[in-house]
Amino acid sequence: MASHAVLSSGSKMWKSMACAKSELRLDLTLSCGQSFRWRETAEGHWTGAMGGRVWTLTQTDDTLWYHVYKNQDKQKEGSDRKRRSGISLAEENTAEKRFKGAPEKDEEEPLAVSSVQNRELDEEMLRDYFQLDVRMDDLYKEWGAADCHFKRIASIFTGVRMLRQDPTECLFSFICTSNNHISRIQGMVERLCQALGSPLCQLDQTSYHDFPSVSALADSSVEAHLRDLGFGYRARFVHQSAKQILDNHGPQWLVGLRSVPYLEARDALRTLPGVGTKVADCVCLMSLDKPEAVPIDTHMWQIAKRDYKYTANNGQKSITEKLYRDIGDFFRKLWGPYAGWAQSVLFCSDLKKFQSFKETAHPKQPKKEEEDKEDKIVPTFCNKKVITCQKHQGAPFLELK
């Protein structure tokens, strides 16, 4: 039985590309609640399904290393990729289109897909998935110049990058997030893939599956099946949303939302069962190329109140539609057109699992020193700063006055 790859066992079957940790931190980006399909299978090694194949990723200071496994059913792999071009992973990505024309691999090829002709494709898929054409160093500097609190956090949480996920996987994964936490969501998404997704390969005792297509999720038996798997009321939302997409729009509708304005895409998603404003914003930000989307949950509301002294006019205690919109506009005004990316850094820094990072970077001070430091804290807003980025030159936003 094949095993999960480990770089220390030898780099022969690994490929690499230049990527500094300041541009991408795998441990933060892959476990902060964007995607629920990556697992740390060895120290610093992350394994998951992406683009219809299984990958293990690891990194050194200036290099991203990747190992791609061959699917267990090679003949099925080709047909699965054609199916995905319409309704699942990386539907319209250039990398996927190019993959369809790749020559078949030799029967004696080892489990890893290591042929030279695939190297360029693999890098293209990784660049697309991690959006590596967006320079995080530049954005961090601009956000930090506009926001002193962000500047303090950024020195600890570098390389938190927004993924460009498959819209089908992103939507139905986030439908499962209602009244849930990350570890439980991971288990639900994994059970969903094992039950309805195509098998990809088995490593050690772990079986990896593709994410199910919209058609598979719309099958009449799905709701009952998911209830048996512990999805509760979310089972109905998954099935009804998939059926509504097929009946009213077609399988390519989701990926088509990448080409429409942010608010139009968000409103379209909100017509689906189980999709409120926050879930719609998550899907817009993490799969539909809408970097200005700022999902607001209790984490972000607490951050706004605690770190930015944000107060609602009427002192309300729950997030209403108006409060949601006002907080989002507040952060868009502060951070500019990539506000959703900046939000993900603060969200990540507030997760309990990452608090040790802060303790390591800033050892606890004696109580008197802490009190003196708190007395000297100034408002978090620095000089106004126009934030731009290659992908959104000229995008409209407000400066912070």
Side-chain angles (χ1 to χ4, degrees):
M1 181 183 296
S3 299
H4 291 93
V6 180
L7 184 61
S8 61
S9 298
S11 60
K12 182 179 179 181
M13 298 305 296
W14 289 77
K15 288 176 279 188
S16 65
M17 55 192 293
C19 183
K21 280 190 174 181
S22 61
E23 288 293 321
L24 170 65
R25 280 277 300 273
L26 292 175
D27 56 342
L28 298 177
T29 302
L30 296 179
S31 65
C32 68
Q34 293 189 58
S35 172
F36 304 99
R37 303 206 63 202
W38 294 91
R39 302 290 187 278
E40 190 173 21
T41 48
E43 185 176 0
H45 290 63
W46 297 85
T47 302
M50 185 267 290
R53 289 182 292 172
V54 178
W55 306 62
T56 293
L57 310 176
T58 190
Q59 62 186 149
T60 49
D61 287 341
D62 58 1
T63 304
L64 175 62
W65 295 85
Y66 58 97
H67 183 98
V68 190
Y69 304 89
K70 185 170 65 177
N71 289 355
Q72 62 188 31
D73 187 339
K74 290 182 6 176
Q75 291 181 339
K76 195 170 187 298
E77 178 179 353
S79 61
D80 283 348
R81 287 187 176 278
K82 292 179 181 178
R83 171 182 58 77
R84 279 192 300 276
S85 68
I87 50 181
S88 189
L89 291 170
E91 283 103 332
E92 77 349 335
N93 289 351
T94 302
E96 281 293 289
K97 293 178 181 177
R98 294 180 59 192
F99 188 87
K100 295 178 186 177
E104 288 197 15
K105 296 174 281 296
D106 192 89
E107 287 295 328
E108 275 72 41
E109 186 180 21
L111 185 63
V113 179
S114 58
S115 55
V116 174
Q117 62 264 37
N118 284 330
R119 184 184 187 93
E120 185 179 348
L121 168 65
D122 293 340
E123 286 201 13
E124 191 172 351
M125 292 182 71
L126 286 173
R127 288 186 178 280
D128 181 81
Y129 186 70
F130 288 111
Q131 305 195 74
L132 294 178
D133 57 330
V134 177
R135 288 188 55 82
M136 295 305 297
D137 279 345
D138 293 343
L139 285 176
Y140 268 59
K141 288 175 184 176
E142 292 174 341
W143 291 328
D147 177 356
C148 296
H149 174 67
F150 183 93
K151 187 174 183 179
R152 289 193 293 271
I153 293 296
S155 65
I156 308 170
F157 292 88
T158 60
V160 180
R161 178 172 286 277
M162 190 56 55
L163 302 176
R164 188 177 192 250
Q165 300 178 63
D166 163 62
T168 298
E169 177 175 337
C170 189
L171 169 64
F172 289 98
S173 294
F174 273 92
I175 286 177
C176 297
T177 62
S178 175
N179 297 315
N180 224 336
H181 53 80
I182 291 177
S183 60
R184 187 162 181 258
I185 299 164
Q186 288 175 328
M188 293 174 71
V189 172
E190 188 59 35
R191 294 194 297 275
L192 177 68
C193 293
Q194 290 179 357
L196 301 173
S198 301
L200 297 176
C201 69
Q202 183 165 343
L203 303 173
D204 297 315
Q205 301 299 318
T206 303
S207 296
Y208 291 89
H209 291 70
D210 201 354
F211 198 88
S213 67
V214 176
S215 297
L217 295 171
D219 187 84
S220 59
S221 64
V222 164
E223 180 177 346
H225 195 170
L226 294 184
R227 285 188 182 277
D228 290 341
L229 293 176
F231 278 61
Y233 63 88
R234 305 171 194 85
R236 177 168 56 88
F237 292 151
V238 170
H239 174 251
Q240 288 186 351
S241 289
K243 191 173 187 304
Q244 183 170 313
I245 290 172
L246 286 187
D247 290 347
N248 298 348
H249 306 289
Q252 298 188 49
W253 175 70
L254 277 174
V255 75
L257 294 178
R258 283 177 170 170
S259 62
V260 306
Y262 158 53
L263 291 179
E264 182 180 338
R266 189 181 73 176
D267 289 345
L269 291 170
R270 289 181 63 188
T271 65
L272 299 173
V275 179
T277 306
K278 190 199 80 170
V279 167
D281 268 341
C282 288
V283 178
C284 283
L285 176 64
M286 301 171 193
S287 70
L288 297 182
D289 302 336
K290 308 293 186 275
E292 68 270 42
V294 181
I296 303 297
D297 62 357
T298 54
H299 277 286
M300 287 309 299
W301 189 21
Q302 292 302 317
I303 288 171
K305 291 190 294 184
R306 181 189 68 220
D307 301 324
Y308 295 88
K309 311 307 178 189
Y310 184 93
T311 56
N313 292 334
N314 57 1
Q316 58 204 70
K317 298 182 179 181
S318 61
I319 303 177
T320 62
E321 284 289 333
K322 183 181 185 304
L323 180 60
Y324 186 103
R325 182 178 63 252
D326 289 347
I327 296 175
D329 288 344
F330 170 81
F331 284 122
R332 277 183 282 270
K333 184 177 179 180
L334 176 61
W335 295 323
Y338 270 65
W341 288 53
Q343 176 263 5
S344 70
V345 179
L346 295 192
F347 179 87
C348 181
S349 73
D350 206 50
L351 292 176
K352 185 179 295 185
K353 66 165 74 175
F354 296 133
Q355 294 314 296
S356 61
F357 286 53
K358 297 178 182 177
E359 295 167 5
T360 302
H362 302 299
K364 196 167 184 180
Q365 298 173 319
K367 187 173 181 180
K368 182 64 171 64
E369 290 184 30
E370 286 184 345
E371 291 173 351
D372 291 344
K373 184 177 179 181
E374 288 175 2
D375 290 340
K376 296 175 183 177
I377 290 178
V378 297
T380 58
F381 311 119
C382 301
N383 296 330
K384 63 183 180 181
K385 178 72 176 178
V386 175
I387 303 178
T388 60
C389 192
Q390 282 184 324
K391 277 191 173 181
H392 282 253
Q393 290 288 351
F397 63 96
L398 298 174
E399 292 183 35
L400 178 68
K401 299 294 186 182

